[in-house]
Amino acid sequence: MREVFKIKTSPAADRENIIQGEKYRITVLTEALIRLEYQEEGKFVDEPTQAVLHRDFPKASYRVLESEEMLEVITDKIHLKYNKKAFSRNGLQIHIRGGISNFHSVWYYGDEVKDLRGTARTLDEADGEIELDHGLMSKFGFAVYDDSKTLLLTEDGWIKTRENGGIDLYFFGYGRDYLGCLKDFYRLCGKTPMIPRFALGNWWSRYYKYTESSYKELMNRFEQENVPFSVAVVDMDWHKVDIDPKYGSGWTGYSWNRDFFPDPKGFMDWLHERGMRITLNVHPAEGVQGHEDQYLAMAKEMGVNYEEEDPVEFDISSQKFLEAYFKYLHHPQEEDGVDFWWLDWQQGTATKVEGLDPLWMLNHYHYLDSGREGKRPMTFSRYAGVGSHRYPVGFSGDTVVTWESLDFQPYFTANASNVGYGWWSHDIGGHMQGYKDDELEGRWVQYGVFSPIMRLHSTCCEFNGKEPWRFKPEIHYMMNDFLRLRHQLIPYLYTMNYRSYQEDQPLVQPMYYQNPFEEEAYHVRNQFWFGSEMIVAPITTKRLPKLNMAKVLVWLPEGLYVDFFTGRVYSGGRKMEMYRDINSIPVLAKAGAIVPMTEEISGKAASKNPSTLEIRVFAGADGVFSMYEDDNETKEYENGVCVFTDMKFCFEAERDGKDGGQKFVIESAKGDLSLIPQKRSYQIEFCACGDCEVEVTSGGIHVPFEKVYDDKKKQLTVSVKEHAVTEELEIAFTSELKVTEPQIEESVFDFLNQAEIAFGEKETIYAVVCKGKNRLSMISELKVAAENEDLFGAVAEILTSYCEA
């Protein structure tokens, strides 16, 4: 096998962590992670598996109590009891220490584990919720992963079956330390690699018979509307589909349809010149048939009777086929311009090797092969079980276009983090069947912008395209705005991409990761942390009649939060219903959050480190953020070749002769500065605050700047042009920035003005608000004045959102 297929592993455990008997072996990898093996002949596995790569954890701290009939292993986290016989419910149990649960924190071998679940292989044909596979975490403190059926990885880069059978389990007893559990899972199974910067932009995808000219026309229309895309996905009609039936269905193909694309390389060069990358769809199951351009070379390589045009069978379990598959079918296309492949495997889990899933083989070897020349590897395919996080990006499959499908996706995506799978890509807007609903499409796009990968997609139905101009004007313009926002967020997203790799924290996380002992955190399934700075609560239901608002139940942890779109301020430690018009969803930045953005969103600039930054800073608390940048394209990030730009928003005491007070500081960039522009222009937007005079300096020297205060938005903006990245930039405030939000009367008026309700009811509600009474009195009066619960709820949200700091 080629060197690129020989991955780094460290499968042997420290001998001091092993407790071994004649037929059993227990490895204390950490105080909470226990490997349990039983094999009748005492033959245990020390090779890496498809899921597990590294068992060389440091020496763990544990005690062993042993008698002739019983073995006990005790750590700070678990207490294991084992009768030293074949694993059984009465002979093997593990107690979770720490008082997680009075009754449920004991695992008996063989019992079904009640964990928080993980993810699933696919959402194909899903119309709403589906059952998920087991995960690594549980409210009861433990979960179990069964590695007994996986194949082994050999040193030469291939796979082999387990010869002796037996039981091979991993017990995760982390209590409710979910992030600690994830960190050790990645230590065991391999880190989530970084994806290229271009993957964080918008992807255009559609199952449709595009031609070169129609595709270019579409891209030009998007450019006219200033809607950026960084990835062009070309579905299966790039290749010959309408073929002689003797060659099969045409579902599998590797030869360009020259009637549609007369100059494939020129077409891909054109996309690259626009700053876009291209991926092609492949359904490899039918092998290589006689009509393919590459058939003769493949047939000769595989020893197939090419004179009779015998098909070259797809056999991913054959090394010879695998190498020819890349050599003849993929590498020439990549030389012409294909950047990565969409592996659309839908044909089950069987191969000639028992237990070998062809999807896993495709994911593993395609991902590794894509990095053979030093570029950052990436593939695009369905989930193939535990360990699949090593092969981003995930394709979730063909969902039905319904509100039920949308309502399931935020939970599905966040929950995948429970098996370390952080880079799902959905068919945003839904794929097939279902119905046309402009509002549904709009809400799906809003969710997509705050999901790991933003990829619009649909089936070949003429009426099911996702072009924004197909929808009503309010949806059209909102979609355009949100697609632009996705690209504006790339500096933040790319830093979170690094955080996922370096700190083992997926971009999207369930609320209970940060608040594991808050029961409410488990009941807002569709709400999630989006990186380190923001909480997102997608809207997945229709707007309320007459109010023109949709609502979503939100739970806020303790603290202070600012709505990214509206500027409203919310105190935490509570549940509440939030109401939003079609132009936004609740995206709540924590007080002190710092979110770097950019206006360089189109063309090649979108995939580069920007020379202009728009930095949003949210008042109400101190905050720090370290913006990460690298070359965006290679694996050099693994060697630490990168740049960090630290930012902080804080109140400093006077010291060493320097004035104290509230400041925002952009520190000098640290690292390989050749990777970023030498100078940058900054627009720093301080959100949810009052007006204040500022002083801008660098090394004690005054720096020219512009300051603007927007009283309606309650936003203070400071702009600095072309500042050297090697020099610190400090913005000092003459007084503390007080948390401020839009005026209550104005917000209530705007809501009532657009609501389609009786004028008299509007006037009554607005009069109550304008009386200036305390808020509790207002709410009491409104409860009587509002004729329906949601009308009251929408106004009450405004009245109760403000927190006097």
Side-chain angles (χ1 to χ4, degrees):
M1 300 293 288
R2 287 180 281 137
E3 283 297 317
V4 72
F5 295 141
K6 299 174 184 178
I7 62 174
K8 295 179 181 179
T9 64
S10 47
D14 188 321
R15 297 299 304 174
E16 294 190 54
N17 287 344
I18 295 174
I19 305 151
Q20 187 168 336
E22 183 180 352
K23 298 181 180 180
Y24 68 85
R25 184 167 72 170
I26 298 172
T27 307
V28 185
L29 294 166
T30 74
E31 285 73 16
L33 178 55
I34 313 297
R35 187 186 188 194
L36 304 164
E37 296 172 276
Y38 187 89
Q39 209 281 328
E40 281 292 336
E41 299 174 6
K43 296 180 179 179
F44 306 112
V45 170
D46 285 318
E47 297 97 328
T49 74
Q50 289 172 294
V52 174
L53 305 181
H54 308 286
R55 304 187 190 96
D56 62 335
F57 285 73
K59 185 179 184 308
S61 177
Y62 64 95
R63 293 186 295 127
V64 176
L65 304 177
E66 186 170 11
S67 66
E68 187 173 336
E69 297 180 346
M70 183 63 65
L71 173 70
E72 297 184 53
V73 180
I74 304 170
T75 76
D76 288 344
K77 302 291 186 182
I78 63 99
H79 186 168
L80 178 149
K81 299 178 182 179
Y82 172 47
N83 66 3
K84 301 197 280 191
K85 299 178 182 179
F87 290 172
S88 65
R89 189 179 190 280
N90 65 305
L92 176 60
Q93 59 184 261
I94 302 179
H95 297 245
I96 300 300
R97 304 181 70 186
I100 299 296
S101 168
N102 292 332
F103 307 105
H104 302 291
S105 293
V106 182
W107 173 68
Y108 296 90
Y109 174 81
D111 281 1
E112 180 79 5
V113 175
K114 295 180 180 179
D115 58 56
L116 290 164
R117 294 287 167 163
T119 192
R121 186 181 181 94
T122 182
L123 291 178
D124 282 336
E125 301 182 351
D127 185 4
E129 188 162 354
I130 66 167
E131 184 176 359
L132 303 181
D133 298 336
H134 284 290
L136 307 171
M137 304 159 193
S138 169
K139 289 172 67 177
F140 301 134
F142 66 88
V144 177
Y145 167 62
D146 188 348
D147 199 41
S148 307
K149 304 292 186 183
T150 60
L151 276 66
L152 309 179
L153 307 185
T154 61
E155 290 184 359
D156 66 353
W158 195 234
I159 45 90
K160 69 176 183 179
T161 57
R162 299 181 185 231
E163 297 178 357
N164 304 302
I167 297 169
D168 190 358
L169 307 178
Y170 290 83
F171 180 88
F172 290 81
Y174 284 81
R176 295 194 184 181
D177 180 11
Y178 301 135
L179 290 173
C181 176
L182 259 189
K183 197 166 193 67
D184 284 343
F185 166 76
Y186 288 128
R187 174 74 174 80
L188 179 73
C189 297
K191 280 184 169 291
T192 296
M194 289 187 69
I195 60 176
R197 192 181 191 93
F198 69 78
L200 296 170
N202 298 315
W203 300 26
W204 177 258
S205 179
R206 189 183 180 193
Y207 176 26
Y208 191 74
K209 289 183 180 294
Y210 285 114
T211 65
E212 179 174 333
S213 60
S214 68
Y215 207 95
K216 287 181 176 180
E217 183 180 346
L218 177 65
M219 294 301 109
N220 286 333
R221 173 66 187 272
F222 279 125
E223 184 177 40
Q224 290 169 12
E225 301 225 351
N226 191 27
V227 174
F229 284 90
S230 60
V231 176
V233 183
V234 185
D235 212 320
M236 59 179 289
D237 287 292
W238 69 272
H239 64 71
K240 298 173 185 176
V241 173
D242 299 321
I243 60 175
D244 190 320
K246 72 178 183 179
Y247 296 126
S249 67
W251 198 249
T252 297
Y254 299 97
S255 306
W256 283 88
N257 182 341
R258 300 281 174 160
D259 291 335
F260 289 177
F261 297 93
D263 180 12
K265 185 178 187 304
F267 171 64
M268 291 187 282
D269 287 345
W270 184 85
L271 289 170
H272 289 152
E273 280 300 310
R274 298 174 67 90
M276 297 181 71
R277 307 304 170 91
I278 182 170
T279 180
L280 302 181
N281 173 282
V282 287
H283 299 93
E286 293 183 359
V288 186
Q289 304 291 332
H291 71 286
E292 299 281 10
D293 298 343
Q294 307 89 345
Y295 170 74
L296 186 60
M298 279 291 292
K300 287 181 177 180
E301 187 87 4
M302 297 305 297
V304 168
N305 187 343
Y306 53 85
E307 293 180 350
E308 295 294 329
E309 290 191 330
D310 288 349
V312 178
E313 177 186 8
F314 176 81
D315 182 10
I316 199 70
S317 64
S318 162
Q319 287 189 41
K320 185 177 181 181
F321 173 83
L322 182 74
E323 290 289 11
Y325 168 82
F326 285 123
K327 180 179 179 181
Y328 297 111
L329 305 181
H330 294 87
H331 292 172
Q333 306 275 25
E334 292 170 26
E335 290 172 7
D336 282 347
V338 175
D339 293 289
F340 63 102
W341 295 92
W342 174 11
L343 308 172
D344 202 349
W345 181 264
Q346 300 167 300
Q347 285 74 30
T349 60
T351 63
K352 292 180 179 179
V353 176
E354 184 177 358
L356 180 60
D357 184 350
L359 178 60
W360 184 91
M361 290 290 284
L362 286 165
N363 292 353
H364 180 76
Y365 287 104
H366 260 282
Y367 182 82
L368 295 176
D369 182 74
S370 71
R372 67 190 181 279
E373 295 180 349
K375 76 174 185 178
R376 192 172 303 176
M378 195 172 89
T379 192
F380 181 40
S381 184
R382 289 173 174 82
Y383 175 80
V386 171
S388 293
H389 64 277
R390 299 193 301 263
Y391 318 117
V393 166
F395 165 52
S396 68
D398 302 337
T399 51
V400 178
V401 184
T402 62
W403 283 100
E404 288 78 12
S405 290
L406 169 59
D407 187 52
F408 181 58
Q409 282 190 4
Y411 164 70
F412 177 81
T413 308
N415 220 67
S417 294
N418 290 348
V419 283
Y421 199 69
W423 291 111
W424 267 126
S425 170
H426 302 302
D427 290 359
I428 296 301
H431 179 69
M432 61 186 184
Q433 300 169 13
Y435 42 76
K436 172 75 177 292
D437 185 321
D438 288 22
E439 186 178 354
L440 170 61
E441 175 64 22
R443 293 303 189 190
W444 219 321
V445 166
Q446 290 172 336
Y447 164 64
V449 168
F450 290 94
S451 66
I453 300 293
M454 174 57 205
R455 178 178 56 87
L456 294 168
H457 187 60
S458 57
T459 192
C460 55
C461 172
E462 285 289 346
F463 302 99
N464 194 13
K466 299 300 190 296
E467 297 90 345
W469 50 86
R470 284 177 173 258
F471 303 94
K472 296 171 186 174
E474 66 170 356
I475 304 297
H476 173 185
Y477 301 132
M478 178 274 289
M479 287 175 64
N480 284 4
D481 287 343
F482 267 78
L483 290 167
R484 287 189 281 267
L485 174 60
R486 177 69 184 200
H487 276 230
Q488 290 167 341
L489 284 167
I490 287 177
Y492 174 74
L493 292 168
Y494 199 72
T495 298
M496 296 302 111
N497 180 20
Y498 175 74
R499 177 176 178 249
S500 176
Y501 161 75
Q502 183 64 28
E503 299 180 21
D504 302 315
Q505 294 212 39
L507 169 65
V508 172
Q509 298 179 16
M511 293 302 295
Y512 49 77
Y513 277 21
Q514 303 291 340
N515 296 90
F517 293 99
E518 293 282 354
E519 185 61 25
E520 297 296 347
Y522 297 87
H523 297 287
V524 283
R525 300 197 325 168
N526 276 7
Q527 183 181 320
F528 51 85
W529 279 97
F530 189 66
S532 60
E533 308 298 288
M534 294 183 279
I535 292 171
V536 178
I539 289 175
T540 59
T541 56
K542 289 181 74 69
R543 281 177 286 187
L544 299 162
K546 303 298 184 181
L547 297 186
N548 299 322
M549 296 275 182
K551 68 177 179 179
V552 59
L553 181 65
V554 176
W555 172 74
L556 293 176
E558 291 291 343
L560 201 62
Y561 302 88
V562 181
D563 189 289
F564 186 87
F565 295 104
T566 69
R568 287 185 196 152
V569 182
Y570 298 86
S571 55
R574 58 173 169 155
K575 281 195 310 184
M576 64 185 302
E577 287 180 328
M578 293 189 177
Y579 294 77
R580 295 293 183 272
D581 65 17
I582 197 61
N583 295 308
S584 75
I585 59 175
V587 175
L588 304 159
K590 66 184 182 183
I594 300 172
V595 180
M597 302 167 63
T598 185
E599 289 296 329
E600 296 175 30
I601 63 174
S602 300
K604 292 182 178 180
S607 295
K608 295 181 178 180
N609 300 321
S611 59
T612 60
L613 286 175
E614 174 188 309
I615 304 169
R616 292 199 190 181
V617 184
F618 294 86
D622 290 353
V624 295
F625 192 89
S626 184
M627 187 176 73
Y628 172 88
E629 297 168 287
D630 58 26
D631 65 20
N632 303 309
E633 301 281 351
T634 76
K635 295 185 284 188
E636 281 298 295
Y637 71 90
E638 296 176 350
N639 301 320
V641 181
C642 62
V643 181
F644 293 98
T645 303
D646 292 340
M647 309 173 193
K648 60 182 179 180
F649 179 56
C650 59
F651 192 91
E652 294 183 347
E654 183 179 347
R655 66 178 188 274
D656 299 329
K658 295 182 67 174
D659 292 337
Q662 197 164 32
K663 299 177 180 180
F664 177 74
V665 179
I666 302 174
E667 297 185 0
S668 59
K670 303 292 192 301
D672 186 349
L673 300 185
S674 68
L675 297 170
I676 63 174
Q678 294 182 352
K679 292 184 177 182
R680 274 185 163 144
S681 296
Y682 299 100
Q683 180 172 298
I684 303 105
E685 299 171 353
F686 299 93
C687 305
C689 66
D691 195 3
C692 180
E693 292 304 314
V694 302
E695 183 179 69
V696 182
T697 59
S698 178
I701 299 173
H702 288 278
V703 173
F705 68 93
E706 293 182 4
K707 190 202 81 150
V708 176
Y709 184 72
D710 187 324
D711 189 58
K712 183 176 178 63
K713 291 182 178 180
K714 305 303 178 187
Q715 179 175 295
L716 173 66
T717 301
V718 177
S719 300
V720 175
K721 302 293 186 183
E722 302 213 335
H723 186 74
V725 297
T726 55
E727 298 176 5
E728 178 182 276
L729 185 69
E730 180 180 289
I731 300 173
F733 302 92
T734 56
S735 59
E736 183 180 355
L737 283 185
K738 296 290 186 180
V739 174
T740 311
E741 69 169 1
Q743 290 293 323
I744 288 175
E745 293 87 348
E746 186 175 352
S747 297
V748 172
F749 180 88
D750 289 343
F751 163 67
L752 292 173
N753 191 45
Q754 61 82 48
E756 298 175 60
I757 59 175
F759 293 120
E761 190 171 15
K762 292 186 181 190
E763 290 178 337
T764 299
I765 293 171
Y766 191 57
V768 170
V769 174
C770 291
K771 285 179 182 178
K773 293 184 178 180
N774 68 66
R775 292 166 192 242
L776 187 59
S777 297
M778 287 188 209
I779 291 171
S780 179
E781 284 193 56
L782 286 170
K783 188 69 174 174
V784 176
E787 293 186 3
N788 73 62
E789 183 178 334
D790 286 311
L791 176 57
F792 167 75
V795 177
E797 181 202 345
I798 298 171
L799 294 179
T800 61
S801 66
Y802 180 69
C803 176
E804 293 181 300

